[in-house]
Amino acid sequence: MPVTIGGFVRAILVVGAVSGPAAAAEAADIKPAVVFDLGTKYDKSFNEGVFNGTERFRKEFNVPVAEFEPANETQFEQAHRRFAQRGQDPILAVGFNQASVVDRIAKDFPDTRFSLIDGVSKLPNVQSVLFREQEGSFLVGMLAAMASKTGKVGFVGGMDIPLIRRFACGYGQGVRYADAKAELIQNMTGTTPSAWNDPGRGAELARGQFDRGVDVVFAAAGATGLGVLQAAKDAGKLSIGVDSNQNHLHPGSVLTSMVKRVDVAAFDSFKEARDGTWKGGVSVLGLKDGAIDWALDDNNKALITADMKSRVDAAKADIISGKIKVVDYMEGNSCPP
Amino acid sequence: MRAGGTLPRWAELGLVPLLDVLCAFLAAALVVLAIGVSPLAVLRAILAGALGDAGALGYTLYYATNFVFTGLAVALAFHAGLFNIGGEGQAILGGLGTGLVALALDRVLPGWLLLPVAIAAAALFGAGWAAIPAWLQARRGSHIVITTIMFNFIAAALLVYLLVNVLIAPGSMSPETRAFQPAASLPLAHDGLRALGFAAAPSPLNASGLVALAAAAAVWFTLWHTRFGYRLRVMGLNPGAALYAGIPIGRMTVGVLCLSGALAGMVGINEILGVQHRLILNFSAGYGFGGIAVALMGRNHPAGIVLASLLFGILNQGGAEISFDIPAVSREMVTVIQGLVILFSGALAGFSRPLARGLLAFAGAALSRRAGAPASREG
């Protein structure tokens, strides 16, 4: 019975969309679903950010959200196909790993709406959401350089892919913008998706960097970053979290977090579908949209001096106005030295 | 009728495995109960998810196909007294071989020519990967269990290296190759059924399911109806006697393991040619290790392996479906349930034999009482 009602409402919605925009704004009965990225849902970072967004949607509108946590790459396709067959719509795909699968499934189910975070598909029923991670990385890079006493800062990436090099590249530019003499040491955890879920190796890489004089380290590595943050806490150094606001994990040790509001992207995608304003196409979100930012709260307020805050806020305004140009690694697959 | 401790053949092959699985389900039910979910609801979700409709059944059979290949690979080697734990690596190499052929020739050859070549490449690469540990065992005495496990890691690293550095599609962030042309796709079951006039929900079940059945028949024929199979079994039962009888143990070791590796390599055609249509990481997804449990459960007989594969297919597909229906049962929970089944029917295989004996004795007594005769004491 709910299925029929849902179909009926959607039928009305389609008619409404044809007859006039006013009718299309009626809230629809939707059956949203989310397919998480590899790693785990509770990674306190990327996946969990998405989960927070879908959870907020579920509570706010009392709409159940179907979820799937894939165990390996081959399950992406099954998850999307099964969700589409069960009439779930829209379906949220989390992470670049799912781009090719969404491309394929969206073709087979042209009436189902897909939202893809961190990946691009050109199909009309796919909404691709990308972020300008280099902008936020630039800001936390500045903070790292200003907080460092040794003049050496570190970066631990997850899987070595262009997306993570974009983080590293923006971070490096921010570091040098704040302190031209600062030295950056960077490591990637691995070359396969398992690099997103290896806290032990993350901690090892961070300890290695501390031994070489690093005293602030930025982790852009999903659940692997938890190990980096822990190692920094244990060694009495500073760390920078990623994607979700991770300041609360180790108050006093996490300098700040490069916040990528995947939760907002997830929430908005479902909300737009519910409101009938969902549109396919590519959107790129950055500092300007509030989708990328650095985190300042009670947990790290003691670590950020007024001078640091004012310099970063000025740089943020300059990036938004276009006065500072942060080079995007993925544009030319290269980073300025 | 039967001697003291032994069971009739039908009970040994049918009843004991069935009781093993039942015990596993009971233990799993307790675990499910402990997290506050009704075991019956979970069982219903597994069965409906795995067998409920044509699409679900297709998925179950697609998973089962992989287990048939790796189960046969383990069983064949086991009959020769060799424990091939390298199914995982051989499956990876099989997929690599078939993927390389597809990438190189999918714009050149038509499907009817390309597919046999690609399938042969999967078998050849799988066999080749098994040949090295086999040769080391035959010539150098390096133990096959150790070397095949190590070769799993080498295979995984090789695939990562090739996908990350060499074969990755330009502009792609995930380590995967470009998609193959349609010529390099094995026919899908639902397309075939549609051509015959039956509508069927789409599923990844493809022609390699038939290849798996043919492989099971071929393994059965080879083992029990050829000279090679006879030598193989002699070697497994008593290597000393085999040597004395003039069976070339070294050459047999290499030959058997190559066949075993070729079977495991066929996982590659199901995954790469049948479903993914591109080379990706981790497509072997543990099927090589699952094959060991399948072979144990199937008592190393092709028919038993096909049945055990069906059970594992149901668990895999039903397990994936639970998370759609009962969110409280997470991915880790599904792994626990599958692990219990493997524990009871693999590691503890035959653990329910006394139970089976008791059941039989009880049934025998009941039957004879009914017939008016005094209860037999021999059960």
Side-chain angles (χ1 to χ4, degrees):
Chain A
M1 203 52 190
V3 177
T4 355
I5 294 172
F8 182 55
V9 172
R10 201 168 307 137
I12 291 178
L13 193 76
V14 171
V15 174
V18 175
S19 62
E26 287 288 312
D29 205 9
I30 59 165
K31 287 175 68 185
V34 52
V35 180
F36 288 103
D37 201 357
L38 295 171
T40 83
K41 182 167 86 182
Y42 298 110
D43 60 1
K44 301 208 167 9
S45 180
F46 184 60
N47 272 336
E48 196 163 337
V50 172
F51 175 66
N52 290 338
T54 59
E55 212 32 29
R56 196 175 115 216
F57 178 83
R58 182 180 71 79
K59 289 200 185 116
E60 220 160 280
F61 299 106
N62 200 21
V63 176
V65 177
E67 297 177 348
F68 189 78
E69 278 184 86
N72 59 59
E73 287 85 345
T74 57
Q75 288 190 338
F76 288 137
E77 174 151 0
Q78 172 170 15
H80 282 286
R81 199 174 283 282
R82 294 303 277 178
F83 274 146
Q85 278 169 355
R86 285 163 173 246
Q88 303 282 5
D89 174 65
I91 302 174
L92 179 63
V94 185
F96 66 91
N97 267 319
Q98 303 190 37
S100 61
V101 168
V102 167
D103 224 24
R104 233 176 321 160
I105 307 287
K107 218 174 279 166
D108 291 352
F109 295 91
D111 297 328
T112 304
R113 292 167 291 184
F114 292 85
S115 292
L116 177 59
I117 292 181
D118 272 1
V120 178
S121 165
K122 295 266 150 55
L123 294 169
N125 56 327
V126 182
Q127 182 183 64
S128 311
V129 185
L130 301 174
F131 292 85
R132 280 196 281 270
E133 291 92 352
Q134 68 274 19
E135 298 181 348
S137 302
F138 185 94
L139 298 184
V140 299
M142 284 179 67
L143 286 168
M146 289 188 282
S148 171
K149 294 191 175 64
T150 58
K152 286 185 184 168
V153 297
F155 175 86
V156 174
M159 181 177 164
D160 189 5
I161 49 167
L163 177 71
I164 293 301
R165 292 192 186 176
R166 175 196 267 172
F167 278 87
C169 183
Y171 180 69
Q173 292 173 65
V175 168
R176 277 185 304 277
Y177 181 80
D179 176 1
K181 292 196 296 290
E183 194 184 327
L184 171 63
I185 297 177
Q186 42 178 317
N187 290 109
M188 295 288 181
T189 307
T191 49
T192 65
S194 62
W196 303 120
N197 197 13
D198 194 348
R201 184 152 166 74
E204 219 169 275
L205 289 171
R207 279 194 294 269
Q209 296 187 348
F210 298 150
D211 289 345
R212 291 158 70 187
V214 166
D215 60 352
V216 187
V217 61
F218 176 29
T224 302
L226 294 176
V228 176
L229 267 50
Q230 182 69 48
K233 156 98 177 142
D234 294 346
K237 314 278 181 187
L238 296 173
S239 60
I240 298 173
V242 79
D243 293 345
S244 298
N245 180 350
Q246 299 183 316
N247 294 358
H248 66 279
L249 290 178
H250 304 288
S253 169
V254 181
L255 176 66
T256 180
S257 299
M258 200 294 265
V259 185
K260 175 171 162 183
R261 298 302 299 269
V262 283
D263 56 332
V264 176
F267 180 84
D268 284 354
S269 147
F270 287 175
K271 185 165 185 306
E272 285 164 20
R274 185 178 173 275
D275 295 345
T277 57
W278 190 98
K279 277 202 297 285
V282 181
S283 54
V284 186
L285 306 174
L287 281 179
K288 193 168 60 181
D289 317 277
I292 293 280
D293 212 337
W294 65 285
L296 180 63
D297 57 20
D298 284 347
N299 294 312
N300 67 336
K301 146 174 110 186
L303 299 169
I304 307 283
T305 63
D307 175 49
M308 285 161 79
K309 182 171 175 342
S310 64
R311 279 188 72 186
V312 169
D313 282 344
K316 182 175 163 184
D318 285 347
I319 292 174
I320 292 175
S321 71
K323 219 162 111 197
I324 297 179
K325 286 246 180 306
V326 185
V327 175
D328 174 7
Y329 174 85
M330 285 167 74
E331 255 160 32
N333 272 348
S334 66
C335 195
Chain B
M1 268 203 303
R2 54 184 188 267
T6 58
L7 286 166
R9 200 173 144 76
W10 67 267
E12 185 64 42
L13 291 180
L15 189 62
V16 172
L18 197 69
L19 286 174
D20 285 346
V21 172
L22 277 179
C23 290
F25 276 139
L26 277 179
L30 290 179
V31 178
V32 169
L33 211 54
I35 61 162
V37 178
S38 153
L40 279 179
V42 170
L43 185 66
R44 206 176 309 129
I46 290 185
L47 292 181
L51 308 168
D53 58 87
L57 187 64
Y59 267 99
T60 300
L61 293 177
Y62 142 71
Y63 284 123
T65 302
N66 284 334
F67 287 117
V68 171
F69 284 134
T70 54
L72 288 174
V74 173
L76 186 77
F78 197 78
H79 276 286
L82 299 166
F83 206 11
N84 177 13
I85 310 191
E88 198 72 11
Q90 290 142 17
I92 289 174
L93 262 283
L96 179 63
T98 204
L100 287 176
V101 166
L103 285 172
L105 301 175
D106 64 347
R107 295 199 170 109
V108 187
L109 294 183
W112 60 267
L113 193 58
L114 175 62
L115 289 174
V117 176
I119 292 174
L124 207 66
F125 271 62
W129 201 246
I132 308 169
W135 183 85
L136 288 172
Q137 158 97 22
R139 284 280 166 270
R140 316 280 318 163
S142 320
H143 204 284
I144 201 90
V145 169
I146 311 292
T147 45
T148 49
I149 289 180
M150 295 201 296
F151 266 66
N152 288 338
F153 289 104
I154 302 176
L158 180 69
L159 186 69
V160 167
Y161 171 78
L162 288 176
L163 278 182
V164 170
N165 297 298
V166 185
L167 299 172
I168 189 168
S172 162
M173 268 201 264
S174 37
E176 54 187 33
T177 65
R178 69 171 170 85
F180 304 151
Q181 300 294 311
S185 302
L186 282 171
L188 288 164
H190 59 90
D191 287 340
L193 286 173
R194 209 165 288 159
L196 293 175
F198 301 101
S203 76
L205 180 63
N206 58 72
S208 44
L210 297 175
V211 178
L213 287 180
V219 166
W220 171 80
F221 184 82
T222 307
L223 276 176
W224 284 285
H225 295 276
T226 64
R227 186 176 297 174
F228 176 78
Y230 176 75
R231 289 176 163 184
L232 189 161
R233 283 180 296 129
V234 171
M235 183 178 144
L237 288 170
N238 191 335
L243 199 63
Y244 183 73
I247 295 174
I249 298 281
R251 218 181 306 151
M252 285 294 293
T253 302
V254 176
V256 170
L257 275 170
C258 281
L259 280 182
S260 175
L263 284 167
M266 299 309 260
V267 168
I269 68 165
N270 190 27
E271 287 294 334
I272 300 300
L273 296 183
V275 185
Q276 305 295 342
H277 303 138
R278 72 187 70 212
L279 204 49
I280 60 171
L281 283 177
N282 294 339
F283 60 84
S284 58
Y287 295 115
F289 297 118
I292 299 170
V294 166
L296 277 173
M297 223 183 131
R299 299 288 189 271
N300 290 313
H301 190 283
I305 285 168
V306 170
L307 290 177
S309 299
L310 270 179
L311 176 72
F312 274 68
I314 290 172
L315 284 177
N316 247 30
Q317 165 59 12
E321 290 287 307
I322 298 180
S323 29
F324 292 105
D325 286 328
I326 310 174
V329 179
S330 67
R331 190 178 87 196
E332 287 76 14
M333 200 62 215
V334 173
T335 315
V336 168
I337 297 175
Q338 291 173 341
L340 281 170
V341 172
I342 296 176
L343 179 71
F344 276 88
S345 54
L348 296 176
F351 133 101
S352 58
R353 204 168 280 137
L355 185 64
R357 211 171 285 141
L359 273 179
L360 279 185
F362 180 75
L367 277 178
S368 41
R369 199 170 307 132
R370 233 197 190 157
S376 147
R377 295 175 61 85
E378 61 172 335

